[in-house]
Amino acid sequence: MTLHNDIERVLFSEQQILSGIDRVAREVTAAYQGRDFTVVSVLKGSCVFASDLIRRIPIPLELAFLAASSYGNNTVSGELEINFFPAGTEIDGRNLLLVDDILDTGRTLYALKRELARRGARDVKTCVFLDKAARRAVPLAPDFRCFEVGDLFVVGYGLDFAGRYRNLPYVGALRKEVFAAAGQP
Ligand code: XMP
């Protein structure tokens, strides 16, 4: 048994993913030509995407990571705890490119963007691997995105279900039995 057995269908193959990232890397490169910037990868989901993306951007950049957790019910209200890695990552006056795995309701990136602006970032742009545009609950459109995806739960290429499947090299939909076995509809 391998993780592949749990996948009902592949939505984006490794080849498709890499050509989508090539396109977005060219867009990012053009946007930041001649400007210093920091790529901020939102953990854990975006680490696979971010590492493929930055290797296709041939201009200077810095790399940082953050983990965000909301401690209210509503991240839009900005009740967000942010931990940077490294802890002293410079925000004030920096151009930041927030990189995330998937934009769903948009609440996480919306709140993060607002908080980083409040901390003095000069400019905050967003780059997402997948965009579930139909699910958006806040007014946020990503500045860069690789692919749009419908309203279904997907795993692989950094995305997990119950902590698993991040290491699949493609994006796929899980078999129904996997959700059922985990007690989810
Ligand atoms: P919001 O709603 O704030 O949430 O945009 C974004 C986060 O929700 C998770 N998410 C998913 N994770 N497959 C996943 O593995 C999915 O289909 C999915 N949809 C949303 C993810 O953590 C993302 O960063």
Side-chain angles (χ1 to χ4, degrees):
M1 275 295 273
T2 69
L3 294 177
H4 302 298
N5 299 94
D6 290 349
I7 301 299
E8 186 173 275
R9 66 195 164 102
V10 173
L11 297 167
F12 300 104
S13 69
E14 241 180 304
Q15 208 56 51
Q16 286 172 311
I17 290 172
L18 293 179
S19 63
I21 296 178
D22 274 337
R23 173 180 48 77
V24 166
R26 283 195 295 273
E27 294 171 12
V28 170
T29 303
Y32 287 99
Q33 195 70 244
R35 296 163 73 206
D36 286 339
F37 73 116
T38 303
V39 169
V40 181
S41 162
V42 180
L43 294 172
K44 301 175 188 172
S46 80
C47 72
V48 180
F49 172 46
S51 62
D52 276 338
L53 178 70
I54 61 169
R55 285 180 289 169
R56 288 168 172 75
I57 301 175
I59 56 174
L61 59 81
E62 289 184 32
L63 178 64
F65 298 88
L66 69 73
S69 43
S70 53
Y71 51 88
N73 294 326
N74 183 0
T75 52
V76 178
S77 70
E79 295 170 82
L80 204 66
E81 184 182 325
I82 306 178
N83 286 301
F84 277 96
F85 308 94
T89 300
E90 204 177 333
I91 304 300
D92 197 16
R94 294 287 305 175
N95 298 312
L96 304 179
L97 180 64
L98 269 176
V99 171
D100 208 353
D101 53 358
I102 189 164
L103 193 56
D104 187 2
T105 65
R107 289 197 170 97
T108 312
L109 276 194
Y110 186 82
L112 272 177
K113 209 178 154 171
R114 210 173 58 165
E115 176 59 20
L116 294 172
R118 196 189 66 77
R119 295 188 188 192
R122 181 192 295 170
D123 177 59
V124 185
K125 295 196 194 307
T126 54
C127 177
V128 298
F129 173 54
L130 297 178
D131 183 9
K132 277 188 186 173
R135 296 249 314 153
R136 201 63 30 82
V138 293
L140 178 73
D143 296 289
F144 309 96
R145 73 160 179 211
C146 285
F147 305 105
E148 188 168 344
V149 70
D151 184 10
L152 79 168
F153 195 83
V154 296
V155 296
Y157 201 73
L159 293 146
D160 76 305
F161 173 64
R164 292 186 176 171
Y165 306 101
R166 294 191 198 275
N167 50 324
L168 285 175
Y170 52 81
V171 172
L174 281 175
R175 291 185 194 284
K176 282 193 292 293
E177 305 87 88
V178 179
F179 293 111
Q184 294 199 18

